[in-house]
Every structure is written in C-alpha cells, then in structure tokens.
Amino acid sequence: RGRGPWKPGTHILTFARAVDPNYFTARGEFDTSLATGIYWLDLDSGGAGELVKPETGYALVDPQWVPNGQIISFYELVYMEGQGPFAFYDFTTNQYVRWEEPIGSVDWSPDASQLLHDNMTYAPSYTERIFLVNRDRSGERQLSAELENGYAMAPLFSPLGDRIAYLEVTGMDMDTTTTLIIQDLPDGQPLKLLLLHQAYDLTWTPDGNFLLVSNGNYPDLQVLLISADEGSYQVLADGWQAAMQP
C-alpha cells in the first residue's frame, strides 16, 4: 500500500520541513517567500532534493502517496491551527492540482481514481461524515449513515478497494462510544463490526482480512488484530502506534 510518506516500491522517504514562524504575518496571511515544498530522500542512493515546489505560495505539509506511486497529495498551510486546503501533484501529467478547501483526512483507492475523506479538519463539529469522490471532484456521495450526536472519521480503503473501514463516534466529552464500521463498495450498507473505547492508528493488513487498531483509554492502550469478516479479535500487545509490515 502507498498510504503514507514512503513512495511505493522504493526506499524514498518524502517529508515536509518545519515552517519558519515568520511565514505567518497575520491570521490567514503569510510570507510566500518562506513557503516550503515537499522533499525527498533516497535511502539507497543517498540522493535528496525538492519533489514538489510550493508553486502556489503556500507551504506544503503532510505528504501522502497513492498506492500506485503516481500521485502525492498534501495540504497547503493557511492557518497555525487546523488543516489547510487539499492538493496533489500528478507525476503522469506533471500537474499541481488544487481543491482550494480543506476536506479532512484522505485515503486513496488502489488505482488512485477515487478518494475517501471525512471533513475532519480540526476538532469535531459533529457534522463529519465519510464521502467518496472521484479524483476530478465529480460524483461525490456520502457513504456513512446520518448520526444523532455523532460523527464519522478516519476512512480507509481495503487493499483491494472493495471495502472501506472507518470509525463512528457518538456522545460528548468523556462519555463517547467508538464503533468500527465496515462497508462494502460500491453500494454496501454500514456494518458495525466492533465496539471500541478510544481508537487510534487504524489500518488494514496487506491481505485485507484483518484490521489493526490501538484501543483503550490512554495510557491503558492495547493493540488489537480484528477479523474484517467476523469482528472477532485478539490482543497483540499493550501499547499503541503499531506499524504493519507490508
């Protein structure tokens, strides 16, 4: 899977640089001369350089590759807090594409033709839902159910792109319930797979049969391996931020 800052099939790491505090001159205003792009480092050859220039004047942060390695997405930095507008660079056309609005956390389909997003751009407003949209921004539709006093977040395509997983949170303050949801594509209904406490670091296993998640109330967290078909699970370890080897 290409999700994250490593270019698929390579040992090339992409990253953003810390932004000079003088980049922000006022709320919503910034010094374009201090904008930084996305950079790369090849751990095999030792080569390094700038991968995507900040050609729109915004500093670029949070690089994420699509699974086929042809596109890298990121956010344009506008405010000191919250998430900036979504954008991506398409290396097949050498084109910088801007959406000019924040869309929350994003996950790309295996063929990069579609993406999921949740509109979670800062603290939850309880209007966040899961959306599927084509790369050209056409055909957007809501996949998650409407919720009373709740929101949906952190959507992920399965490795084959035939299912998605995401988290559904209901309640307020410390009295919340988090549910792991599985949904078949293109037209499946949300299936409540497992009730969790507080969930972090949700990811699919490469075979698409299981999900890995950190669960619990901090600092008492456990790493769970969950069957994507049955919702049964096993505790792998005490802790969190576990990484799955491809």
Side-chain angles (χ1 to χ4, degrees):
R1 296 285 287 165
R3 191 177 298 120
W6 292 95
K7 184 175 182 181
T10 75
H11 294 147
I12 295 175
L13 176 65
T14 53
F15 57 95
R17 288 184 173 164
V19 177
D20 188 317
N22 294 314
Y23 170 77
F24 295 102
T25 58
R27 183 169 178 80
E29 299 178 10
F30 40 86
D31 185 344
T32 59
S33 69
L34 298 177
T36 52
I38 302 297
Y39 300 85
W40 64 276
L41 172 65
D42 189 332
L43 300 187
D44 292 327
S45 69
E50 188 176 45
L51 184 68
V52 182
K53 296 182 181 297
E55 59 186 68
T56 62
Y58 294 94
L60 310 180
V61 295
D62 296 333
Q64 176 180 331
W65 286 95
V66 305
N68 63 17
Q70 296 177 348
I71 291 172
I72 191 169
S73 60
F74 39 81
Y75 302 102
E76 298 173 329
L77 193 59
V78 176
Y79 300 114
M80 292 184 182
E81 69 286 330
Q83 189 186 79
F86 175 75
F88 63 87
Y89 194 89
D90 186 341
F91 292 97
T92 66
T93 61
N94 295 320
Q95 184 179 14
Y96 185 118
V97 180
R98 302 181 65 209
W99 282 25
E100 301 186 22
E101 66 174 325
I103 62 171
S105 64
V106 166
D107 194 53
W108 290 86
S109 65
D111 65 359
S113 65
Q114 296 179 304
L115 54 89
L116 297 164
H117 70 95
D118 61 8
N119 287 351
M120 177 73 76
T121 60
Y122 196 38
S125 65
Y126 285 72
T127 61
E128 292 82 6
R129 303 291 183 263
I130 306 303
F131 298 90
L132 177 68
V133 62
N134 295 326
R135 192 173 71 203
D136 63 5
R137 300 198 72 177
S138 66
E140 181 170 88
R141 62 190 179 101
Q142 181 176 322
L143 297 182
S144 61
E146 284 300 325
L147 297 170
E148 182 177 350
N149 193 31
Y151 57 94
M153 60 178 288
L156 295 174
F157 280 101
S158 67
L160 293 178
D162 57 342
R163 292 192 285 184
I164 65 170
Y166 55 92
L167 301 173
E168 193 176 85
V169 182
T170 55
M172 297 289 289
D173 301 322
M174 299 301 293
D175 186 21
T176 61
T177 298
T178 302
T179 305
L180 175 59
I181 305 294
I182 295 287
Q183 195 164 342
D184 290 338
L185 293 178
D187 299 313
Q189 295 299 308
L191 172 64
K192 295 184 177 183
L193 191 67
L194 184 65
L195 185 65
L196 301 167
H197 297 288
Q198 296 286 335
Y200 308 88
D201 312 312
L202 180 66
T203 187
W204 288 89
T205 58
D207 60 12
N209 293 326
F210 297 89
L211 289 138
L212 192 71
V213 70
S214 300
N215 176 59
N217 296 315
Y218 187 86
D220 300 318
L221 295 164
Q222 294 180 317
V223 179
L224 307 184
L225 185 67
I226 305 166
S227 168
D229 293 321
E230 301 173 355
S232 57
Y233 68 91
Q234 63 182 109
V235 178
L236 297 183
D238 293 328
W240 68 332
Q241 297 180 336
M244 180 65 65
Q245 182 176 353

